[in-house]
Amino acid sequence: MQWIDHLRDVDWDELSELYRIAPLGEKSPDYLRTAFGNSRYVALVYAQGRLIGAGRALADGVDCAYISDIAVHPQHQGTGLGKAIVESLVQRAQGHRKILLYANPGKEGFYLRLGFKRMNTAMAMFADEASALATGVVSAA
């Protein structure tokens, strides 16, 4: 496997397809170019020239880092690749007072095993609040 920590040669269509099949939803190449381009840390993993894993972290350099968009190709899920991507981003974000992440419902156990703790005070606003409510990402109360 080849690990890349820059965006110089990214095929944004390939990254968009990875997010679709992972499945993490429909994210256009332009959307991902902006999101990854504005992230302090990126992790892209290739096998035999094909993109099989990705993740990113926003960070301010001292206080807060936020890990987001961990995607693993279905053929490589369950192999430890997602764990390795998260661990790589956590390692690179060391020195921040806190490292946060947002997990899709049902994935909390995965992140708990990696040392993350549930937050009692996390709050969020979503552009599509109805969808976030319907999928259990947020509660109305």
Side-chain angles (χ1 to χ4, degrees), residues 42-66:
V42 299
L44 302 166
V45 185
Y46 293 83
Q48 299 172 340
R50 292 188 50 214
L51 182 64
I52 61 167
R56 64 189 184 91
L58 299 168
D60 59 25
V62 291
D63 183 53
C64 185
Y66 165 64

Side-chain angles (χ1 to χ4, degrees), residues 70-81:
I70 306 302
V72 176
H73 191 286
Q75 293 177 344
H76 296 272
Q77 292 175 5
T79 66
L81 181 57

Side-chain angles (χ1 to χ4, degrees), residues 109-129:
F110 173 78
Y111 294 107
L112 288 167
R113 288 189 297 277
L114 294 178
F116 287 89
K117 306 291 186 255
R118 292 183 185 272
M119 291 182 65
N120 296 327
T121 59
M123 307 295 282
M125 292 182 188
F126 285 83
D128 185 351
E129 184 176 307

